[in-house]
């Protein structure tokens, strides 16, 4: 991709006193003409690149600009590398490792690629997930509609949307876009989305309202939940909601929290078996009783 190559050229120039167009062309596997266009692009972006002809000449960055030998700090670059590797974990066509390898061709590297943070965003169905993300990414770049079958608590439906982002948030992947049926912005969970395909129709990108970009605002903690857990499951509460999510009492661990999704809350509670007693809300108590009675019937 051009952006990857531009970053690579800039990094090379920051690391070395000078280089040549043939060297850059060989390093990034493109023509000298392409390197020339890339250099023009960097100049237009305000990077003071100097080219000199003849023996000892080449391409370099103006001396004053090179007082700071890097654009980003080591910590910033480490964060970028970790994030890129995380995206690479769900991309079948990722060339991130190859690009990063090219950026440290000598020992005078800006930052080690042996980043001590590993981010793996894949799941047990990585192949399908990768295909979906790649298709969505391509559709966004080509401004083409996508369509799919969607399965959710109210049943299933077929949707056509204008895609804008593939998002990893709240431990899952989503596609964010404008739903043509609902005529509104929507998030669709990729695990519930199947038979995904790109449509022939293109769309004109819309301005996304600021309030629609606040994805956290879509989850409102309107279920006020109170329960007492046995001390033996303390580690599970800490793992899910942090060290200060409960108060230790004589009866057990008093847990008060706000939840958005009722079905998720019930499924989560069932995983604790008899090691939790729900106090509020009462409709959750009644639902757990009903489920327990039905489970009991399955064994008689």
């Amino acid at each position: 991709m051009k952006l990857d190559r531009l970053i690579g050229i800039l990094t090379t120039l920051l690391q070395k006193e000078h280089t040549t167009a043939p060297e850059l062309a060989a390093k990034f596997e493109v023509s000298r003409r392409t390197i020339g266009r890339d250099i023009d692009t960097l100049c237009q972006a305000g990077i003071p690149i100097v080219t000199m002809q003849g023996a000892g000449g080449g391409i370099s960055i103006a001396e004053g600009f090179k007082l700071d030998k890097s654009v980003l700090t080591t910590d910033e670059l480490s964060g970028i590398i970790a994030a890129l590797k995380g995206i690479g974990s769900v991309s079948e066509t990722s060339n991130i490792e190859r690009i990063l390898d090219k950026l440290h061709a000598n020992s005078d590297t800006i930052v080690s690629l042996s980043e001590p943070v590993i981010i793996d965003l894949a799941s047990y169905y990585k192949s399908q997930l990768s295909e979906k993300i790649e298709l969505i990414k391509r559709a966004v770049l080509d401004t083409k509609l996508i369509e799919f079958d969607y399965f959710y608590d109210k049943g299933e439906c077929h949707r056509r949307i204008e895609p804008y982002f593939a998002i990893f948030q709240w431990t899952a992947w989503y596609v964010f876009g404008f739903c043509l049926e609902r005529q509104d912005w929507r998030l669709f969970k990729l695990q519930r989305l199947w038979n995904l395909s790109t449509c022939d129709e293109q769309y004109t990108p819309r301005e996304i309202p600021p309030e629609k970009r606040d994805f956290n605002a879509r989850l409102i903690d309107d279920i006020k939940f109170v329960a007492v857990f046995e001390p033996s499951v303390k580690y599970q509460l800490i793992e899910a909601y942090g060290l200060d999510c409960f108060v230790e009492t004589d009866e057990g661990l008093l847990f008060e929290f706000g939840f958005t999704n009722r079905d998720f809350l019930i499924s989560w509670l069932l995983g604790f078996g008899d090691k939790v007693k729900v106090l509020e809300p009462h409709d959750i108590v009644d639902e757990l009783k009903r489920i327990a009675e039905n489970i009991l019937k399955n064994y008689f």
Side-chain angles (χ1 to χ4, degrees):
M1 294 175 62
K2 182 175 182 179
L3 180 58
D4 298 326
R5 195 169 61 249
L6 291 174
I7 294 174
I9 292 172
L10 179 57
T11 304
T12 300
L13 293 174
L14 287 167
Q15 290 177 332
K16 302 174 66 174
E17 290 301 320
H18 73 275
T19 186
T20 65
E23 288 175 351
L24 292 174
K27 184 173 185 178
F28 295 99
E29 299 176 0
V30 296
S31 67
R32 293 178 60 178
R33 180 173 296 181
T34 297
I35 293 297
R37 288 195 293 265
D38 290 341
I39 295 299
D40 289 340
T41 299
L42 289 172
C43 289
Q44 292 170 7
I47 307 299
I49 296 178
V50 177
T51 59
M52 296 184 64
Q53 303 296 324
I59 303 170
S60 62
I61 296 180
E63 189 62 32
F65 188 82
K66 294 181 67 175
L67 292 175
D68 181 359
K69 298 293 287 186
S70 68
V71 176
L72 299 172
T73 66
T74 298
D75 287 344
E76 290 169 335
L77 284 168
S78 295
I80 291 173
I81 290 172
L84 288 175
K85 288 184 176 180
I87 295 298
S89 69
V90 293
S91 177
E92 295 289 357
T93 60
S94 173
N95 60 356
I96 291 167
E97 290 291 341
R98 179 176 62 81
I99 294 168
L100 291 174
D101 286 342
K102 289 181 177 181
L103 299 186
H104 79 318
N106 55 53
S107 59
D108 187 24
T109 181
I110 290 181
V111 63
S112 170
L113 299 185
S114 300
E115 168 59 38
V117 176
I118 298 175
I119 302 174
D120 190 347
L121 302 179
S123 70
Y124 69 92
Y125 74 119
K126 177 182 176 180
S127 59
Q128 296 98 327
L129 177 63
S130 299
E131 292 173 4
K132 291 175 182 178
I133 292 175
E134 291 296 330
L135 187 148
I136 292 168
K137 182 172 67 175
R138 178 50 54 192
V140 172
L141 294 174
D142 294 340
T143 61
K144 286 190 174 182
L145 300 177
I146 61 173
E147 60 181 338
F148 49 84
D149 296 325
Y150 197 67
F151 300 83
Y152 62 124
D153 57 350
K154 296 180 181 178
E156 57 186 89
C157 62
H158 187 79
R159 293 294 175 89
R160 283 159 52 90
I161 72 168
E162 300 171 359
Y164 287 80
F165 303 110
I167 303 169
F168 183 82
Q169 196 161 5
W170 316 308
T171 73
W173 281 94
Y174 298 80
V175 57
F176 174 74
F178 189 83
C179 178
L180 298 183
E181 180 179 344
R182 298 298 185 184
Q183 286 295 297
D184 198 4
W185 300 93
R186 290 286 191 272
L187 275 173
F188 297 93
K189 199 171 188 176
L190 295 195
Q191 287 174 272
R192 300 177 180 174
L193 181 158
W194 295 94
N195 300 320
L196 174 65
S197 63
T198 305
C199 303
D200 293 330
E201 299 99 313
Q202 287 192 292
Y203 64 92
T204 301
R206 306 169 189 261
E207 185 72 25
I208 304 175
E211 66 273 13
K212 298 295 184 179
R213 286 181 174 270
D214 184 3
F215 303 117
N216 286 311
R218 295 172 178 270
L219 295 182
I220 303 173
D221 297 337
D222 55 356
I223 300 175
K224 306 306 178 186
F225 175 76
V226 183
V228 175
F229 290 81
E230 289 189 7
S232 62
V233 299
K234 177 191 293 188
Y235 73 98
Q236 291 177 264
L237 295 179
I238 293 174
E239 178 182 338
Y241 296 103
L243 190 61
D244 301 322
C245 69
F246 58 83
V247 176
E248 298 193 38
T249 69
D250 293 338
E251 288 75 27
L253 308 176
L254 180 63
F255 177 87
E256 299 184 41
F257 213 81
F259 283 85
T260 297
N261 189 309
R262 186 175 186 273
D263 291 338
F264 168 80
L265 173 57
I266 291 173
S267 297
W268 182 66
L269 289 170
L270 289 173
F272 289 95
D274 62 353
K275 299 184 184 302
V276 57
K277 180 178 180 180
V278 177
L279 305 180
E280 297 179 20
H282 296 297
D283 67 301
I284 298 292
V285 175
D286 294 338
E287 180 67 7
L288 290 173
K289 288 180 180 178
R290 185 189 67 79
I291 292 174
E293 290 171 355
N294 288 337
I295 291 174
L296 189 61
K297 290 177 183 178
N298 288 337
Y299 296 95
F300 288 95

